[in-house]
Amino acid sequence: MKKVIITGVSGFLGEMLLQTAPVATELWGIYHTNKVMAKNVNLIAFDLTNFSLVEQFIYQIKPDAIIHAAALSKPNTCELLPESSFAINVQASEYLATLAAEYQIPFLFTSTDLVFDGKNAPYKEEDASYPICVYGEHKLIAEKNILTIYPQAIVARLPLMYGIPNRVSNFFKDWQIQLKTGQPITAFIDEYRTAAHGLDVAKGIWLLLQQQQSGIWHLGGRERMSRHEFALQMATYLGCSRKLVIPTQQKDVLMPAARPADVSLDSSKAFALGYAPQMLANFFKA
Ligand SMILES: NC(=O)c1ccc[n+]([C@@H]2O[C@H](COP(=O)([O-])OP(=O)(O)OC[C@H]3O[C@@H](n4cnc5c(N)ncnc54)[C@H](OP(=O)(O)O)[C@@H]3O)[C@@H](O)[C@H]2O)c1
């Protein structure tokens, strides 16, 4: 892969993909509204729902592969703006897959553990998926349509990701700041995830592309934890009081999008391939 296009380069995963890209790869990053300053990538801003711009760009660059990490990625926003979610999460994703099929180049779509309803975890790739929010529904529609359009495409279902990005904010960065400054944080005792470090997930994505895989892959972490257990571990490793972590339940927080209880992923297929997400403890020891 000499020349790779990364969509969503201004997002959390985009930053992680830039940091882990194989050397000597010519990178082209597409962002939309948030300008990116990065050295190892050629940057361009446009809206991926504008198909003529997308087509022109792919035609001009003639990439060897496309990693599609752009999305409306917040479930609550998708629930409130389903049309916007459908445009970027489904239609733009399908269009990119169509172009990748036409050019016969590897295409990796970033999906989510939220395609599952959370009632039968841990989930393997072939398990039935019944999303309970618009974001999960749209990602599942995109997955199915992409694999119909282009069966050689890769669908990487990603878990909750942690890590400290430079540009964007995320729950992990916010919690770390709050804990270190003695502010309490609330965390669900009844919401389980197999979180993974964003850099490890990004390495997993490069691995799937380098190994010319296709189909659905789970890139979850190795540890199944509730958000509350996760926060308690963070407090411990940061040397902060565990009393700062206030347990809460999903029913106590009203949100537009329903939240599945347990979407832990069984990622043994990817582990066997060499995907190696670290444990949370290692992040703090490093
Ligand atoms: N973060 C997680 O824990 C997590 C978990 C599971 C799956 N995922 C999936 O992983 C992928 C990356 O997530 P992320 O956390 O990096 O998301 P993010 O931080 O919210 O970034 C989203 C990216 O998409 C771009 N984008 C949105 N609408 C666009 C449009 N119409 N045209 C062009 N670009 C557009 C944004 O550009 P601007 O910011 O420049 O507007 C941004 O670069 C997504 O597919 C997401 O669904 C993420």
Side-chain angles (χ1 to χ4, degrees), residues 7-15 30-36 46-49 68-74 88-89 92 109-114 135 139 156-162 168-169 171:
T7 72
V9 77
S10 50
F12 172 79
L13 183 62
E15 187 176 322
I30 302 171
Y31 63 98
H32 186 205
T33 52
N34 290 301
K35 197 165 168 32
V36 182
F46 63 88
D47 184 346
L48 287 164
T49 64
H68 180 36
L72 208 57
S73 69
K74 306 260 179 304
I88 178 71
N89 290 340
F109 171 64
T110 50
S111 189
T112 172
D113 50 9
L114 294 181
Y135 170 69
K139 285 286 191 177
R157 288 192 185 136
L158 312 185
L160 173 69
M161 288 184 278
Y162 64 90
V168 294
S169 63
F171 82 99

Side-chain angles (χ1 to χ4, degrees), residues 151-214:
Q152 292 94 322
I154 305 168
V155 168
R157 288 192 185 136
L158 312 185
L160 173 69
M161 288 184 278
Y162 64 90
I164 307 278
N166 292 315
R167 289 190 303 270
V168 294
S169 63
N170 66 350
F171 82 99
F172 190 74
K173 202 166 157 178
D174 294 346
W175 276 5
Q176 187 147 325
I177 294 166
Q178 286 169 276
L179 288 170
K180 280 183 173 171
T181 52
Q183 299 171 63
I185 59 173
T186 52
F188 292 124
I189 53 171
D190 53 355
E191 189 173 296
Y192 285 81
R193 301 288 184 261
T194 38
H197 195 292
L199 284 174
D200 294 333
V201 171
K203 286 181 198 161
I205 285 173
W206 289 113
L207 181 75
L208 291 175
L209 279 169
Q210 281 164 335
Q211 299 215 358
Q212 300 177 359
Q213 296 298 333
S214 61

Side-chain angles (χ1 to χ4, degrees), residues 12-240:
F12 172 79
L13 183 62
E15 187 176 322
M16 305 291 141
L17 286 163
L18 290 182
Q19 284 182 37
T20 52
V23 281
T25 307
E26 182 182 325
L27 300 171
W28 286 83
I30 302 171
Y31 63 98
H32 186 205
T33 52
N34 290 301
K35 197 165 168 32
V36 182
M37 309 291 270
K39 284 194 182 127
N40 64 334
V41 58
N42 304 288
L43 293 160
I44 180 155
F46 63 88
D47 184 346
L48 287 164
T49 64
N50 183 332
F51 292 173
S52 62
L53 287 181
V54 176
E55 186 183 14
Q56 263 176 44
F57 183 68
I58 304 286
Y59 178 75
Q60 277 167 11
I61 301 301
K62 297 195 172 43
D64 299 306
I66 301 172
I67 301 175
H68 180 36
L72 208 57
S73 69
K74 306 260 179 304
N76 289 337
T77 312
C78 295
E79 208 71 23
L80 297 171
L81 300 171
E83 284 170 14
S84 305
S85 168
F86 197 78
I88 178 71
N89 290 340
V90 180
Q91 290 172 315
S93 305
E94 286 172 13
Y95 190 65
L96 280 166
T98 307
L99 293 175
E102 199 179 302
Y103 286 86
Q104 284 294 296
I105 52 169
F107 176 73
L108 185 142
F109 171 64
T110 50
S111 189
T112 172
D113 50 9
L114 294 181
V115 295
F116 295 111
D117 62 6
K119 294 180 182 161
N120 288 300
Y123 291 99
K124 284 182 183 275
E125 286 82 352
E126 60 275 16
D127 287 339
S129 29
Y130 304 102
I132 61 168
C133 63
V134 166
Y135 170 69
E137 267 171 35
H138 287 176
K139 285 286 191 177
L140 185 63
I141 294 170
E143 284 188 2
K144 288 184 174 162
N145 293 351
I146 286 168
L147 289 173
T148 304
I149 293 163
Y150 192 25
Q152 292 94 322
I154 305 168
V155 168
R157 288 192 185 136
L158 312 185
L160 173 69
M161 288 184 278
Y162 64 90
I164 307 278
N166 292 315
R167 289 190 303 270
V168 294
S169 63
N170 66 350
F171 82 99
F172 190 74
K173 202 166 157 178
D174 294 346
W175 276 5
Q176 187 147 325
I177 294 166
Q178 286 169 276
L179 288 170
K180 280 183 173 171
T181 52
Q183 299 171 63
I185 59 173
T186 52
F188 292 124
I189 53 171
D190 53 355
E191 189 173 296
Y192 285 81
R193 301 288 184 261
T194 38
H197 195 292
L199 284 174
D200 294 333
V201 171
K203 286 181 198 161
I205 285 173
W206 289 113
L207 181 75
L208 291 175
L209 279 169
Q210 281 164 335
Q211 299 215 358
Q212 300 177 359
Q213 296 298 333
S214 61
I216 300 176
W217 290 80
H218 285 179
L219 295 182
R222 292 182 189 279
E223 301 164 284
R224 174 183 172 273
M225 265 188 265
S226 71
R227 293 221 186 217
H228 183 252
E229 288 161 354
F230 189 96
L232 282 177
Q233 281 207 26
M234 279 183 75
T236 306
Y237 296 133
L238 289 168
C240 305

